[in-house]
Amino acid sequence: MTKQGDRACPYCGADDWLCGFIGAFNEALLSPNAGMPPRPSRIRAPAPEVSAAQKVTRANVQAADTYSKQKNWPQALAEIQQALELDPENMLLIRKAAAYAALARNFVVADDYFQKVLRNYPDSATFLSGRAGVLIRLLRLKEADELVQKALVIDPSFLSARFNRLCIQIARGDADIPESGWELLNTDNVVELANWLDADRQDYVKALKPEGYAKLCGIVLGPGTDARLPEIVGS
């Protein structure tokens, strides 16, 4: 199995698959217009003069991007938080903070930022599933399930939401968990799932227990794949 292309993740600078559970909402976290309808073309006005505060904010963002390329998530988060002190309502900064906090495994802080994001994008399957991924790691399964269910109403085929839903079902010990449909995924989706499962193995083992993690891998990738994930991902 080969890795997903050579695209760099738009918020950490690494290959897409290295970003773990953030996966499906990488671009949405940073693109100012993600999920928004296209804006009508208009004549560009002259660029406004940049204030001193804006210059500081830009410097913080640039520093955060540098730290993210080094996978120094706590420091990247600290830089964005400094920028937010000057521009606390900047949604792009808040989305970056949600991503960096999650990657730093500071899930309580990440959840706080995701709640702010969802107040602006309450019907975004991407952000609903993103926060659900954070809540799964906090073992707040009931809240996570409510978010995932809403995301799946909006987009029944959304891979991240389907995956999080399965994680919740296994973590709760649900009986008769549907196991069909995963074999129909295309190659890119299978690679994405394999890399999520490998990158965040510790998170999933903590939330689902070792036997639950093995079951999760078996359902989405095939029996026995939990023991072979490093080999699969690295091939």
Side-chain angles (χ1 to χ4, degrees):
M1 182 180 295
T2 56
K3 298 174 186 174
Q4 278 187 318
D6 296 319
R7 307 195 300 274
C9 164
Y11 69 85
C12 76
D15 292 343
D16 299 4
W17 61 275
L18 288 172
C19 299
F21 78 96
I22 300 294
F25 56 84
N26 287 354
E27 185 173 355
L29 281 163
L30 293 192
S31 174
N33 300 318
M36 301 293 104
R39 295 180 179 178
S41 58
R42 59 185 180 183
I43 299 174
R44 290 182 177 273
E49 185 176 346
V50 178
S51 68
Q54 288 173 318
K55 290 179 180 179
V56 173
T57 298
R58 288 182 182 179
N60 288 133
V61 171
Q62 290 171 353
D65 290 343
T66 298
Y67 283 121
S68 73
K69 290 175 182 177
Q70 301 166 0
K71 301 184 182 64
N72 187 341
W73 311 122
Q75 194 58 48
L77 173 62
E79 292 288 346
I80 294 300
Q81 288 176 321
Q82 288 181 30
L84 280 167
E85 290 178 6
L86 296 173
D87 193 359
E89 302 302 319
N90 187 312
M91 190 49 53
L92 185 56
L93 292 178
I94 293 171
R95 297 205 303 257
K96 281 178 178 260
Y100 291 143
L103 286 166
R105 292 325 193 243
N106 194 338
F107 297 122
V108 173
V109 171
D111 181 47
D112 181 60
Y113 285 122
F114 267 111
Q115 290 184 63
K116 294 177 180 178
V117 172
L118 283 168
R119 283 197 284 271
N120 282 266
Y121 306 102
D123 297 319
S124 167
T126 297
F127 297 134
L128 288 164
S129 186
R131 186 185 174 215
V134 168
L135 292 177
I136 289 170
R137 286 154 177 79
L138 292 172
L139 304 180
R140 291 161 57 183
L141 301 181
K142 184 176 184 297
E143 296 169 81
D145 193 37
E146 291 172 355
L147 294 170
V148 167
Q149 297 277 28
K150 185 175 179 180
L152 288 171
V153 169
I154 295 167
D155 185 354
S157 66
F158 189 43
L159 183 63
S160 173
R162 291 178 59 201
F163 179 76
N164 281 335
R165 171 67 173 156
L166 180 60
C167 289
I168 293 166
Q169 291 173 318
I170 294 173
R172 289 189 310 211
D174 290 4
D176 302 321
I177 298 174
E179 300 185 12
S180 61
W182 296 97
E183 71 280 2
L184 303 176
L185 294 176
N186 61 42
T187 301
D188 284 346
N189 287 155
V190 172
V191 171
E192 191 170 19
L193 287 169
N195 285 301
W196 290 353
L197 286 163
D198 184 56
D200 287 345
R201 178 189 293 261
Q202 290 184 338
D203 290 345
Y204 296 125
V205 169
K206 179 181 178 181
L208 280 63
K209 309 303 180 190
E211 61 275 16
Y213 176 74
K215 183 173 184 177
L216 176 64
C217 293
I219 291 174
V220 301
L221 299 177
T225 49
D226 59 306
R228 297 188 294 111
L229 267 177
E231 173 189 344
I232 293 170
V233 169
S235 63

